[in-house]
Amino acid sequence: MKIRVLPDYDALSETAAAVVAERLREKPSAVLLLPTGTTPLGMYRRLVALHRSGALSFARATFFNLDEYLGLPPDHPASYHVYMRENFYGLIDSDPARVHVPRGDALDPEAECLRYEAAIREAGGIDLCVLGIGRNGHIGFNEPGAPFVSRTRVVRLAESTRRVNAADFEADRSPERAITVGLATIFEAREVLLLASGANKAGAVAAAVVEGEVSENIPASVLRRHPKGTFLLDEDAGSDLGGGLAD
Ligand code: PGA
């Protein structure tokens, strides 16, 4: 695992976009596993700009998303389907047949999880996974305690996660459950890039990369063991690392 600290959010977003663009140029048919949230918005904006300038095509790439709220149809404004369409997939030349987001409104969520995991396998596995990190150390919706051997499944969201995400929903309507790609599937990605920005992520980042042991209590800590894992931080998110920076 590597740690790279950039001066600020703009530099972080630029670097993340550059990594994605480089991997796609090396392998136009790359399989990407992508996040939602506030953190990746700058990266998506830059990738869209690269596409619009004619410098980058996504036409042969395959996309998977990390998670979706259980119960939300793909046209719900707070769904990750809508987020991805509005911020990325709808703005680039992605092939709709190769864009995958879990269906939160699936009649049989367990079957949807199995189908999703099989689709990742059939695509040949993930070449590059880009992730955010929650203030509690979650990745995707793998909350503290999630097994390292977990696959795509239905999970219950931590109360702290629901509080952070409540702003996207009407009062008391924030979903209690979600579908998330599991930690084993994330770990099997050939490369993982975790993005963290801001002082409110500093504690989670330090717990994940330098404090204590690799532990299921801090899901992101599993990435310490990843042969090609990088924590891409801005200075605020890296501010609790002290002298403990390790490669
Ligand atoms: P954020 O979410 O980018 O909105 O902070 C990250 C996460 O919870 O994984």
Side-chain angles (χ1 to χ4, degrees):
M1 183 201 70
K2 275 193 196 146
I3 300 170
R4 285 185 70 184
V5 183
L6 285 306
D8 55 25
Y9 178 70
D10 277 347
L12 169 83
S13 302
E14 189 72 42
T15 304
V19 171
V20 174
E22 195 178 318
R23 297 299 174 268
L24 276 167
R25 288 189 186 116
E26 290 162 1
K27 183 179 178 185
S29 62
V31 180
L32 306 180
L33 180 57
L34 295 177
T36 50
T38 311
T39 313
L41 288 172
M43 174 189 78
Y44 289 137
R45 259 195 309 276
R46 282 164 177 79
L47 288 170
V48 169
L50 278 174
H51 170 65
R52 290 194 169 147
S53 72
L56 190 61
S57 172
F58 298 89
R60 293 179 54 205
T62 296
F63 301 94
F64 288 90
N65 264 83
L66 281 160
D67 44 24
E68 177 59 289
Y69 291 111
L70 196 71
L72 297 200
D75 59 352
H76 188 289
S79 74
Y80 291 159
H81 282 259
V82 167
Y83 171 105
M84 290 305 296
R85 231 174 8 251
E86 291 185 345
N87 293 300
F88 195 45
Y89 299 141
L91 309 177
I92 57 171
D93 58 344
S94 55
D95 175 353
R98 282 199 289 269
V99 169
H100 307 270
V101 183
R103 285 290 297 239
D105 62 344
L107 287 178
D108 183 344
E110 309 297 336
E112 170 66 1
C113 294
L114 291 174
R115 183 195 68 77
Y116 202 75
E117 190 72 34
I120 292 175
R121 236 184 352 262
E122 277 157 26
I126 305 296
D127 290 303
L128 173 63
C129 170
V130 183
L131 292 165
I133 182 172
R135 294 172 212 184
N136 63 0
H138 76 200
I139 49 178
F141 276 136
N142 294 284
E143 303 284 20
F148 285 163
V149 295
S150 55
R151 297 285 170 184
T152 305
R153 68 204 186 287
V154 174
V155 291
R156 191 161 287 282
L157 299 177
E159 279 310 311
S160 59
T161 299
R162 291 190 67 209
R163 275 197 300 279
V164 170
N165 294 351
D168 295 334
F169 296 92
E170 287 170 37
D172 298 332
R173 292 282 178 83
S174 124
E176 292 178 10
R177 294 187 297 162
I179 291 175
T180 187
V181 170
L183 292 171
T185 314
I186 291 170
F187 193 81
E188 284 167 10
R190 290 180 267 282
E191 180 173 5
V192 179
L193 192 61
L194 182 146
L195 314 181
S197 166
N200 63 11
K201 297 291 173 67
V205 167
V209 300
V210 289
E211 289 166 2
E213 302 293 309
V214 171
S215 156
E216 290 179 349
N217 293 326
I218 309 287
S221 69
V222 74
L223 300 176
R224 272 191 223 177
R225 296 179 176 157
H226 197 283
K228 210 169 171 205
T230 302
F231 279 71
L232 205 57
L233 313 173
D234 65 11
E235 277 182 8
D236 288 340
S239 57
D240 281 0
L241 294 179
L245 283 177
D247 214 342

